[in-house]
Structure formats: structure tokens, C-alpha cells
Amino acid sequence: MFGRFAPTPSSDFHIGNLRTALVAWLAARSSGRGFLVRIEDLDLARLPDADAIIGRQVGDLADLGLVHDQPVVRQSERTELYERSLSRIQDLVYECFCSRKDVAQATRAPHGTTPRYPGTCRDLSPAEKRHLRQSRQPCLRINAASAMAPITDLARGQYVGEVDDFVVRRADGVFAYNFAVVVDDAHQNVDQVVRGDDLLESSPRQAWLAAQLGLRVPVYLHVPLVLAPDGTRLAKRDQTVSLTRLRQAGISTQDVLSHLACSLSLAEESELVDLNTLVERFDPQRLPRQPWLTDPLSWAPHGTAQSRNKYE
Ligand code: GLU
């Protein structure tokens, strides 16, 4: 069986991505699993620089020593598999004509949380559907009947969430992340899913869908995010502080590994570590539960006490 890291090729990796990748690799290796890398490029494959970003992402993982055991898979090449899987649950799926705005208004979701779909289109008559199809292309949602689904997180234990009628295929025909990820994990023999804890809320949906498709439900490990010192999300910042940029600032890949290990309570400050030692020390229950606030450009290289001027 396998663990995996499944990045989106929207930009070069920032330190949060690298940290999650390290945890995914350690979780897989320390539990005797193989390790896979899957590129989640469902709606990004057509972007002109996707190939270059993927090349750099895969290169960063190799530089850190996070070796994968099978060729890298791209979701954009697996539409047929998703079609076949969707046909198995046709009777649970319905057409939805609501726009994002409709859903947001109907739920009056507080800012920042995912609106839960209130089921507006669940019981449309054939005549209503015919009428709506004239002006709008529908997406496909799955009827989850507000199921409550539990998941097992290796750090937190059990987490239960409500499953709303989430989108499985978008109106433009692209399969939704929540659908593709479930099909891929099962078909790639992944039974351990490690990712950022911003996706914790999605996990009960995915576990529930796996059960509907008759697929194995994986165990999860959600890793707290890395934030900038002012608490903002790294992904939302203008310029990614990538491994390449850190190297230019005099911070080696070994330094990065040591800082990451220290942030995960797997090493002492200034300790030089290697991956084999980290595999031995890894214990998901001892991972920090809070976000890590840091500015990588201010890190000192390991073995030195002085702090670097980031503009050097
Ligand atoms: N592609 C998602 C991301 O880059 C991760 C999804 C997953 O691991 O299930 O945040």
C-alpha cells in the first residue's frame, strides 16, 4: 500500500508545501508504505506554464530526498477512469443549475467557510430541468442526504463531519477535486492520505464518497499550515519563497530539511538531520497542532548563530 503527496501545479512549492511533502513521505516510510506523487492538475493542465512548474516541483522533492516509488501521475490524463467511476453511482447524482452566487446567497455562509449546498436542485422535475438547460449548463452533485461521516486522523483521532451535496463534475465537464481524489487514491492503492489541515473539512465528504463507490477509506493525517509571521497564508502571497530562492539566499536544502524537522518537533534547533533518522523518530501523534509562523528568508543556516540579511 501507499502514502502520497498530491500537489496542485499552480505555483512553485513554498515552505508549507515542502513541509507537508516531508510529513507525507515520513508517514509512508515509517509505516512501511510506498510513496507516490500525483499532480492535481484537473483544471490547470491547459495553463502554459504547468509543465515547467511540475518539473520544478518534482525536482524540489528529489532535492530533499523524498523519493517516490512509481511514475508521477497527472489527474488531467485520467478522465476515462473518472467517467467509469461516475457511471457506477449514476443514481446518486443529479444536475444542479445553481451558480456559486446562488449557493452563497442561499446558505449565507460566514465569510471564509465553504458554503454547504442546501439541495435547491435535488428534486427538480424533468420539465424544470429542460427549461433550465436552455440557459445554463448544469454541474453534477451527489445526493448525500446530509450524512454524517467519520474519518480517522493519525494525529487527532476521530473527526466527524456532515456531508453536503457536493459537486462531482463541474458544468464545464471537468471532474471536481473531491471526486477525482477519491477515485485516484483507491486506484493507486493509497490508504494513507497526508495533506494540509485546510482540507480537513473535505475529508468526511471524500470518505463518504469512497464508501458509496465501494472503495477503501484511507486513514488521514492533516498537517497544520505554515503561515507568514503576520499570520497570512503563504499561497496568497505575491512571491513564493521557493527552494531555489532560499538557495540563492544562502540557505541550503540541508538547512531547509533541518528547519522543517525542527518545526515538526523531530529535531533540536541547529541539529543537522538526515531522512533515515527522521523516519525513525516520526510519530504522527507528536506533531505540532498549531500553524507554524515563519519567514524562511530570515533563517540562519544551520551550524551558525547569526541571522542572515534577507536582501544579501
Ligand atoms: N492538491 C491539494 C493541494 O495542493 C491537496 C489535495 C490532497 O492532498 O488531497 O493542496
Side-chain angles (χ1 to χ4, degrees), residues 22-79:
L22 173 62
V23 176
W25 190 88
L26 292 173
R29 289 285 182 256
S30 65
S31 60
R33 289 176 169 85
F35 180 69
L36 302 180
V37 175
R38 184 175 69 237
I39 305 293
E40 305 214 313
D41 62 345
L42 280 171
D43 50 355
L44 296 165
R46 278 175 250 123
L47 290 184
D49 50 356
D51 285 348
I53 292 175
I54 292 168
R56 290 197 294 273
Q57 290 185 335
V58 173
D60 282 358
L61 298 180
D63 285 353
L64 279 172
L66 308 181
V67 175
H68 49 89
D69 302 308
Q70 303 260 321
V72 173
V73 159
R74 290 178 65 157
Q75 284 189 323
S76 57
E77 291 161 359
R78 294 162 72 83
T79 305

Short mmCIF file of all heavy atoms in Angstrom, two decimals, residues 22-79:
data_model
loop_
_atom_site.label_atom_id
_atom_site.label_comp_id
_atom_site.label_asym_id
_atom_site.label_seq_id
_atom_site.Cartn_x
_atom_site.Cartn_y
_atom_site.Cartn_z
N LEU A 22 7.21 16.47 3.20
CA LEU A 22 8.12 15.74 4.10
C LEU A 22 7.31 14.86 5.06
O LEU A 22 7.63 13.68 5.25
CB LEU A 22 8.98 16.74 4.89
CG LEU A 22 9.87 16.15 5.98
CD1 LEU A 22 10.90 15.16 5.41
CD2 LEU A 22 10.59 17.26 6.76
N VAL A 23 6.24 15.41 5.62
CA VAL A 23 5.42 14.61 6.55
C VAL A 23 4.80 13.42 5.80
O VAL A 23 4.77 12.30 6.32
CB VAL A 23 4.33 15.47 7.23
CG1 VAL A 23 3.43 14.61 8.11
CG2 VAL A 23 4.97 16.59 8.05
N ALA A 24 4.33 13.66 4.58
CA ALA A 24 3.71 12.57 3.81
C ALA A 24 4.73 11.45 3.56
O ALA A 24 4.43 10.26 3.71
CB ALA A 24 3.18 13.10 2.48
N TRP A 25 5.93 11.85 3.21
CA TRP A 25 6.99 10.86 2.93
C TRP A 25 7.36 10.09 4.21
O TRP A 25 7.47 8.87 4.20
CB TRP A 25 8.20 11.59 2.35
CG TRP A 25 9.26 10.70 1.79
CD1 TRP A 25 9.34 10.21 0.52
CD2 TRP A 25 10.40 10.19 2.49
NE1 TRP A 25 10.47 9.43 0.38
CE2 TRP A 25 11.14 9.40 1.59
CE3 TRP A 25 10.87 10.33 3.80
CZ2 TRP A 25 12.32 8.75 1.94
CZ3 TRP A 25 12.05 9.68 4.16
CH2 TRP A 25 12.76 8.90 3.22
N LEU A 26 7.50 10.83 5.31
CA LEU A 26 7.86 10.18 6.58
C LEU A 26 6.75 9.26 7.07
O LEU A 26 7.01 8.16 7.57
CB LEU A 26 8.16 11.24 7.66
CG LEU A 26 9.41 12.09 7.45
CD1 LEU A 26 9.48 13.21 8.49
CD2 LEU A 26 10.68 11.23 7.50
N ALA A 27 5.51 9.70 6.91
CA ALA A 27 4.38 8.88 7.35
C ALA A 27 4.35 7.57 6.55
O ALA A 27 4.13 6.49 7.09
CB ALA A 27 3.07 9.64 7.18
N ALA A 28 4.59 7.68 5.23
CA ALA A 28 4.59 6.48 4.39
C ALA A 28 5.75 5.56 4.76
O ALA A 28 5.56 4.38 5.07
CB ALA A 28 4.67 6.88 2.91
N ARG A 29 6.95 6.11 4.77
CA ARG A 29 8.14 5.29 5.02
C ARG A 29 8.12 4.66 6.42
O ARG A 29 8.49 3.49 6.58
CB ARG A 29 9.40 6.13 4.88
CG ARG A 29 9.71 6.52 3.45
CD ARG A 29 10.28 5.33 2.67
NE ARG A 29 10.62 5.71 1.30
CZ ARG A 29 9.92 5.39 0.23
NH1 ARG A 29 8.82 4.67 0.34
NH2 ARG A 29 10.30 5.75 -0.98
N SER A 30 7.72 5.44 7.43
CA SER A 30 7.79 4.92 8.80
C SER A 30 6.72 3.86 9.04
O SER A 30 6.77 3.13 10.02
CB SER A 30 7.64 6.06 9.82
OG SER A 30 6.36 6.61 9.72
N SER A 31 5.73 3.76 8.13
CA SER A 31 4.70 2.74 8.30
C SER A 31 4.86 1.63 7.27
O SER A 31 3.93 0.85 7.03
CB SER A 31 3.30 3.38 8.21
OG SER A 31 3.14 3.98 6.94
N GLY A 32 6.01 1.61 6.60
CA GLY A 32 6.29 0.53 5.65
C GLY A 32 5.54 0.66 4.32
O GLY A 32 5.45 -0.31 3.57
N ARG A 33 5.02 1.84 4.04
CA ARG A 33 4.29 2.02 2.77
C ARG A 33 5.22 2.57 1.70
O ARG A 33 6.22 3.22 2.00
CB ARG A 33 3.15 3.02 2.95
CG ARG A 33 2.00 2.49 3.77
CD ARG A 33 0.98 3.60 3.96
NE ARG A 33 -0.27 3.11 4.51
CZ ARG A 33 -0.50 2.94 5.81
NH1 ARG A 33 0.45 3.20 6.70
NH2 ARG A 33 -1.67 2.50 6.23
N GLY A 34 4.83 2.38 0.44
CA GLY A 34 5.48 3.07 -0.66
C GLY A 34 4.99 4.51 -0.69
O GLY A 34 4.07 4.89 0.04
N PHE A 35 5.62 5.32 -1.54
CA PHE A 35 5.27 6.74 -1.60
C PHE A 35 5.02 7.14 -3.05
O PHE A 35 5.81 6.82 -3.95
CB PHE A 35 6.42 7.57 -1.02
CG PHE A 35 6.17 9.05 -1.03
CD1 PHE A 35 5.21 9.62 -0.21
CD2 PHE A 35 6.92 9.89 -1.86
CE1 PHE A 35 4.98 10.99 -0.22
CE2 PHE A 35 6.70 11.26 -1.87
CZ PHE A 35 5.73 11.81 -1.04
N LEU A 36 3.90 7.83 -3.28
CA LEU A 36 3.53 8.26 -4.64
C LEU A 36 3.42 9.77 -4.71
O LEU A 36 3.10 10.43 -3.72
CB LEU A 36 2.14 7.72 -5.01
CG LEU A 36 1.90 6.23 -4.98
CD1 LEU A 36 0.46 5.94 -5.40
CD2 LEU A 36 2.87 5.54 -5.92
N VAL A 37 3.64 10.30 -5.91
CA VAL A 37 3.38 11.71 -6.16
C VAL A 37 2.34 11.79 -7.27
O VAL A 37 2.50 11.17 -8.32
CB VAL A 37 4.67 12.46 -6.60
CG1 VAL A 37 4.35 13.91 -6.97
CG2 VAL A 37 5.71 12.41 -5.48
N ARG A 38 1.27 12.53 -7.00
CA ARG A 38 0.22 12.69 -8.01
C ARG A 38 -0.04 14.19 -8.20
O ARG A 38 -0.21 14.92 -7.23
CB ARG A 38 -1.07 12.01 -7.52
CG ARG A 38 -2.16 12.07 -8.56
CD ARG A 38 -3.38 11.30 -8.14
NE ARG A 38 -4.06 11.91 -7.03
CZ ARG A 38 -4.32 11.31 -5.87
NH1 ARG A 38 -3.97 10.07 -5.65
NH2 ARG A 38 -4.96 11.95 -4.92
N ILE A 39 -0.05 14.60 -9.45
CA ILE A 39 -0.22 16.02 -9.74
C ILE A 39 -1.71 16.32 -9.96
O ILE A 39 -2.34 15.76 -10.86
CB ILE A 39 0.59 16.41 -11.01
CG1 ILE A 39 2.06 16.03 -10.85
CG2 ILE A 39 0.42 17.89 -11.33
CD1 ILE A 39 2.82 16.80 -9.81
N GLU A 40 -2.25 17.19 -9.15
CA GLU A 40 -3.68 17.50 -9.23
C GLU A 40 -3.88 18.71 -10.14
O GLU A 40 -4.02 19.85 -9.70
CB GLU A 40 -4.22 17.73 -7.82
CG GLU A 40 -3.90 16.52 -6.94
CD GLU A 40 -4.92 16.20 -5.90
OE1 GLU A 40 -5.36 17.11 -5.20
OE2 GLU A 40 -5.28 15.01 -5.78
N ASP A 41 -3.89 18.41 -11.44
CA ASP A 41 -3.91 19.47 -12.45
C ASP A 41 -5.20 19.46 -13.26
O ASP A 41 -5.20 19.82 -14.43
CB ASP A 41 -2.70 19.31 -13.38
CG ASP A 41 -2.75 17.99 -14.16
OD1 ASP A 41 -3.54 17.10 -13.77
OD2 ASP A 41 -2.03 17.85 -15.15
N LEU A 42 -6.30 19.03 -12.62
CA LEU A 42 -7.55 18.87 -13.37
C LEU A 42 -7.93 20.11 -14.16
O LEU A 42 -8.29 20.04 -15.31
CB LEU A 42 -8.68 18.53 -12.41
CG LEU A 42 -8.73 17.06 -12.00
CD1 LEU A 42 -9.73 16.86 -10.89
CD2 LEU A 42 -9.07 16.20 -13.20
N ASP A 43 -7.86 21.27 -13.52
CA ASP A 43 -8.26 22.47 -14.24
C ASP A 43 -7.07 23.33 -14.61
O ASP A 43 -7.24 24.44 -15.10
CB ASP A 43 -9.30 23.27 -13.45
CG ASP A 43 -8.85 23.50 -12.03
OD1 ASP A 43 -7.81 22.96 -11.64
OD2 ASP A 43 -9.54 24.24 -11.31
N LEU A 44 -5.88 22.82 -14.39
CA LEU A 44 -4.70 23.66 -14.64
C LEU A 44 -3.86 23.14 -15.80
O LEU A 44 -2.92 23.80 -16.24
CB LEU A 44 -3.81 23.69 -13.39
CG LEU A 44 -4.45 24.34 -12.16
CD1 LEU A 44 -3.66 24.02 -10.92
CD2 LEU A 44 -4.54 25.84 -12.35
N ALA A 45 -4.22 21.94 -16.30
CA ALA A 45 -3.36 21.30 -17.29
C ALA A 45 -3.17 22.18 -18.52
O ALA A 45 -2.14 22.12 -19.18
CB ALA A 45 -3.97 19.96 -17.70
N ARG A 46 -4.15 23.02 -18.80
CA ARG A 46 -4.05 23.81 -20.02
C ARG A 46 -3.25 25.10 -19.83
O ARG A 46 -3.00 25.82 -20.76
CB ARG A 46 -5.45 24.12 -20.56
CG ARG A 46 -6.00 22.94 -21.36
CD ARG A 46 -7.43 23.15 -21.80
NE ARG A 46 -8.31 22.25 -21.06
CZ ARG A 46 -9.33 22.65 -20.33
NH1 ARG A 46 -9.62 23.91 -20.22
NH2 ARG A 46 -10.08 21.76 -19.70
N LEU A 47 -2.88 25.40 -18.61
CA LEU A 47 -2.08 26.61 -18.39
C LEU A 47 -0.70 26.44 -19.04
O LEU A 47 -0.10 25.37 -18.94
CB LEU A 47 -1.88 26.88 -16.90
CG LEU A 47 -3.11 27.32 -16.11
CD1 LEU A 47 -2.72 27.65 -14.68
CD2 LEU A 47 -3.77 28.53 -16.77
N PRO A 48 -0.21 27.49 -19.71
CA PRO A 48 1.03 27.33 -20.49
C PRO A 48 2.23 26.93 -19.64
O PRO A 48 3.11 26.23 -20.10
CB PRO A 48 1.24 28.71 -21.12
CG PRO A 48 0.29 29.63 -20.45
CD PRO A 48 -0.80 28.81 -19.85
N ASP A 49 2.28 27.36 -18.35
CA ASP A 49 3.50 27.05 -17.59
C ASP A 49 3.34 25.84 -16.65
O ASP A 49 4.20 25.58 -15.83
CB ASP A 49 4.01 28.28 -16.83
CG ASP A 49 2.91 28.94 -16.02
OD1 ASP A 49 1.76 28.48 -16.14
OD2 ASP A 49 3.22 29.88 -15.28
N ALA A 50 2.23 25.07 -16.79
CA ALA A 50 2.01 23.94 -15.89
C ALA A 50 3.17 22.93 -15.95
O ALA A 50 3.67 22.48 -14.92
CB ALA A 50 0.69 23.24 -16.20
N ASP A 51 3.63 22.61 -17.17
CA ASP A 51 4.70 21.61 -17.29
C ASP A 51 5.97 22.06 -16.58
O ASP A 51 6.64 21.27 -15.90
CB ASP A 51 5.03 21.35 -18.77
CG ASP A 51 3.95 20.51 -19.43
OD1 ASP A 51 3.11 19.95 -18.69
OD2 ASP A 51 3.94 20.43 -20.66
N ALA A 52 6.29 23.34 -16.74
CA ALA A 52 7.52 23.85 -16.11
C ALA A 52 7.39 23.82 -14.60
O ALA A 52 8.32 23.44 -13.88
CB ALA A 52 7.79 25.27 -16.60
N ILE A 53 6.21 24.19 -14.08
CA ILE A 53 6.02 24.18 -12.62
C ILE A 53 6.12 22.75 -12.09
O ILE A 53 6.78 22.49 -11.09
CB ILE A 53 4.66 24.82 -12.25
CG1 ILE A 53 4.68 26.32 -12.57
CG2 ILE A 53 4.34 24.60 -10.76
CD1 ILE A 53 3.36 27.03 -12.36
N ILE A 54 5.47 21.81 -12.80
CA ILE A 54 5.52 20.41 -12.35
C ILE A 54 6.97 19.93 -12.33
O ILE A 54 7.42 19.28 -11.38
CB ILE A 54 4.65 19.52 -13.27
CG1 ILE A 54 3.18 19.89 -13.07
CG2 ILE A 54 4.88 18.04 -12.98
CD1 ILE A 54 2.24 19.31 -14.11
N GLY A 55 7.74 20.29 -13.35
CA GLY A 55 9.15 19.90 -13.41
C GLY A 55 9.90 20.41 -12.18
O GLY A 55 10.67 19.67 -11.55
N ARG A 56 9.64 21.66 -11.81
CA ARG A 56 10.36 22.22 -10.65
C ARG A 56 9.86 21.59 -9.35
O ARG A 56 10.63 21.33 -8.43
CB ARG A 56 10.20 23.74 -10.62
CG ARG A 56 10.96 24.44 -11.76
CD ARG A 56 11.15 25.92 -11.48
NE ARG A 56 9.89 26.66 -11.47
CZ ARG A 56 9.31 27.18 -12.54
NH1 ARG A 56 9.88 27.05 -13.74
NH2 ARG A 56 8.17 27.84 -12.45
N GLN A 57 8.56 21.31 -9.29
CA GLN A 57 8.02 20.68 -8.07
C GLN A 57 8.64 19.30 -7.85
O GLN A 57 9.10 18.97 -6.76
CB GLN A 57 6.49 20.55 -8.17
CG GLN A 57 5.76 21.89 -8.09
CD GLN A 57 4.26 21.74 -8.08
OE1 GLN A 57 3.71 20.74 -8.57
NE2 GLN A 57 3.55 22.72 -7.53
N VAL A 58 8.66 18.51 -8.93
CA VAL A 58 9.22 17.16 -8.81
C VAL A 58 10.73 17.25 -8.49
O VAL A 58 11.26 16.48 -7.69
CB VAL A 58 8.95 16.36 -10.11
CG1 VAL A 58 9.66 15.02 -10.10
CG2 VAL A 58 7.44 16.14 -10.29
N GLY A 59 11.40 18.24 -9.07
CA GLY A 59 12.82 18.46 -8.79
C GLY A 59 13.05 18.81 -7.33
O GLY A 59 14.00 18.31 -6.71
N ASP A 60 12.20 19.64 -6.75
CA ASP A 60 12.35 20.00 -5.33
C ASP A 60 12.23 18.77 -4.43
O ASP A 60 12.97 18.61 -3.46
CB ASP A 60 11.25 21.00 -4.90
CG ASP A 60 11.55 22.42 -5.37
OD1 ASP A 60 12.61 22.64 -5.98
OD2 ASP A 60 10.71 23.30 -5.11
N LEU A 61 11.27 17.91 -4.73
CA LEU A 61 11.09 16.70 -3.91
C LEU A 61 12.34 15.83 -3.99
O LEU A 61 12.81 15.30 -2.99
CB LEU A 61 9.86 15.91 -4.37
CG LEU A 61 8.51 16.64 -4.26
CD1 LEU A 61 7.38 15.75 -4.75
CD2 LEU A 61 8.23 17.08 -2.83
N ALA A 62 12.89 15.72 -5.21
CA ALA A 62 14.11 14.91 -5.37
C ALA A 62 15.26 15.55 -4.60
O ALA A 62 16.04 14.85 -3.94
CB ALA A 62 14.45 14.79 -6.86
N ASP A 63 15.39 16.88 -4.65
CA ASP A 63 16.48 17.55 -3.92
C ASP A 63 16.40 17.28 -2.42
O ASP A 63 17.40 17.15 -1.74
CB ASP A 63 16.41 19.08 -4.13
CG ASP A 63 16.90 19.46 -5.51
OD1 ASP A 63 17.41 18.58 -6.22
OD2 ASP A 63 16.76 20.65 -5.88
N LEU A 64 15.18 17.22 -1.91
CA LEU A 64 15.01 16.95 -0.48
C LEU A 64 15.21 15.46 -0.15
O LEU A 64 15.23 15.07 1.00
CB LEU A 64 13.62 17.38 -0.01
CG LEU A 64 13.42 18.87 0.29
CD1 LEU A 64 11.95 19.16 0.54
CD2 LEU A 64 14.25 19.31 1.51
N GLY A 65 15.26 14.63 -1.19
CA GLY A 65 15.45 13.19 -0.98
C GLY A 65 14.14 12.44 -0.81
O GLY A 65 14.13 11.27 -0.39
N LEU A 66 13.03 13.10 -1.15
CA LEU A 66 11.72 12.45 -0.96
C LEU A 66 11.39 11.61 -2.20
O LEU A 66 10.58 11.98 -3.05
CB LEU A 66 10.64 13.51 -0.69
CG LEU A 66 10.99 14.50 0.44
CD1 LEU A 66 9.85 15.50 0.65
CD2 LEU A 66 11.28 13.75 1.74
N VAL A 67 12.04 10.50 -2.28
CA VAL A 67 11.97 9.64 -3.47
C VAL A 67 10.59 9.00 -3.57
O VAL A 67 10.02 8.57 -2.57
CB VAL A 67 13.04 8.52 -3.34
CG1 VAL A 67 12.96 7.54 -4.49
CG2 VAL A 67 14.42 9.16 -3.24
N HIS A 68 10.05 8.94 -4.79
CA HIS A 68 8.76 8.25 -4.97
C HIS A 68 8.98 6.93 -5.70
O HIS A 68 9.97 6.76 -6.41
CB HIS A 68 7.75 9.15 -5.68
CG HIS A 68 8.28 9.79 -6.94
ND1 HIS A 68 8.20 9.21 -8.15
CD2 HIS A 68 8.91 10.97 -7.13
CE1 HIS A 68 8.74 9.99 -9.06
NE2 HIS A 68 9.20 11.07 -8.47
N ASP A 69 8.01 6.01 -5.52
CA ASP A 69 8.23 4.63 -5.96
C ASP A 69 7.54 4.25 -7.26
O ASP A 69 7.65 3.11 -7.69
CB ASP A 69 7.75 3.66 -4.86
CG ASP A 69 8.47 3.92 -3.56
OD1 ASP A 69 9.71 3.95 -3.59
OD2 ASP A 69 7.80 4.15 -2.53
N GLN A 70 6.77 5.16 -7.83
CA GLN A 70 6.07 4.87 -9.09
C GLN A 70 6.16 6.13 -9.92
O GLN A 70 6.32 7.22 -9.37
CB GLN A 70 4.58 4.60 -8.82
CG GLN A 70 4.30 3.49 -7.86
CD GLN A 70 3.93 2.21 -8.55
OE1 GLN A 70 3.23 2.22 -9.54
NE2 GLN A 70 4.41 1.11 -8.03
N PRO A 71 5.98 6.02 -11.24
CA PRO A 71 6.00 7.23 -12.06
C PRO A 71 4.94 8.24 -11.58
O PRO A 71 3.89 7.84 -11.08
CB PRO A 71 5.65 6.72 -13.46
CG PRO A 71 5.96 5.26 -13.44
CD PRO A 71 5.77 4.79 -12.03
N VAL A 72 5.26 9.51 -11.72
CA VAL A 72 4.32 10.57 -11.31
C VAL A 72 3.08 10.53 -12.21
O VAL A 72 3.19 10.39 -13.43
CB VAL A 72 5.01 11.96 -11.44
CG1 VAL A 72 4.02 13.09 -11.19
CG2 VAL A 72 6.20 12.04 -10.49
N VAL A 73 1.91 10.61 -11.59
CA VAL A 73 0.65 10.54 -12.33
C VAL A 73 0.03 11.94 -12.40
O VAL A 73 0.14 12.71 -11.45
CB VAL A 73 -0.29 9.57 -11.57
CG1 VAL A 73 -1.74 9.78 -11.93
CG2 VAL A 73 0.12 8.13 -11.84
N ARG A 74 -0.60 12.28 -13.52
CA ARG A 74 -1.29 13.57 -13.64
C ARG A 74 -2.79 13.33 -13.77
O ARG A 74 -3.22 12.56 -14.62
CB ARG A 74 -0.78 14.33 -14.86
CG ARG A 74 0.64 14.81 -14.69
CD ARG A 74 1.15 15.51 -15.91
NE ARG A 74 0.44 16.75 -16.20
CZ ARG A 74 0.96 17.74 -16.92
NH1 ARG A 74 2.19 17.66 -17.39
NH2 ARG A 74 0.25 18.83 -17.17
N GLN A 75 -3.57 14.00 -12.96
CA GLN A 75 -5.02 13.79 -12.99
C GLN A 75 -5.62 14.14 -14.35
O GLN A 75 -6.60 13.54 -14.76
CB GLN A 75 -5.70 14.63 -11.91
CG GLN A 75 -5.53 14.04 -10.52
CD GLN A 75 -6.37 14.75 -9.49
OE1 GLN A 75 -6.54 15.97 -9.55
NE2 GLN A 75 -6.88 14.02 -8.52
N SER A 76 -5.04 15.10 -15.04
CA SER A 76 -5.62 15.53 -16.32
C SER A 76 -5.60 14.39 -17.34
O SER A 76 -6.28 14.47 -18.36
CB SER A 76 -4.86 16.74 -16.86
OG SER A 76 -3.49 16.41 -16.99
N GLU A 77 -4.84 13.33 -17.07
CA GLU A 77 -4.76 12.22 -18.03
C GLU A 77 -5.67 11.06 -17.64
O GLU A 77 -5.59 9.98 -18.21
CB GLU A 77 -3.30 11.72 -18.11
CG GLU A 77 -2.39 12.74 -18.77
CD GLU A 77 -0.92 12.51 -18.47
OE1 GLU A 77 -0.57 11.57 -17.73
OE2 GLU A 77 -0.12 13.31 -18.98
N ARG A 78 -6.53 11.26 -16.64
CA ARG A 78 -7.28 10.12 -16.11
C ARG A 78 -8.80 10.28 -16.22
O ARG A 78 -9.55 9.62 -15.51
CB ARG A 78 -6.88 9.91 -14.64
CG ARG A 78 -5.43 9.49 -14.53
CD ARG A 78 -4.87 9.69 -13.16
NE ARG A 78 -5.35 8.77 -12.16
CZ ARG A 78 -4.87 7.55 -11.95
NH1 ARG A 78 -3.90 7.09 -12.70
NH2 ARG A 78 -5.35 6.79 -11.00
N THR A 79 -9.23 11.11 -17.17
CA THR A 79 -10.67 11.38 -17.27
C THR A 79 -11.49 10.11 -17.49
O THR A 79 -12.58 9.96 -16.93
CB THR A 79 -10.92 12.40 -18.41
OG1 THR A 79 -10.11 13.53 -18.14
CG2 THR A 79 -12.37 12.82 -18.49
#
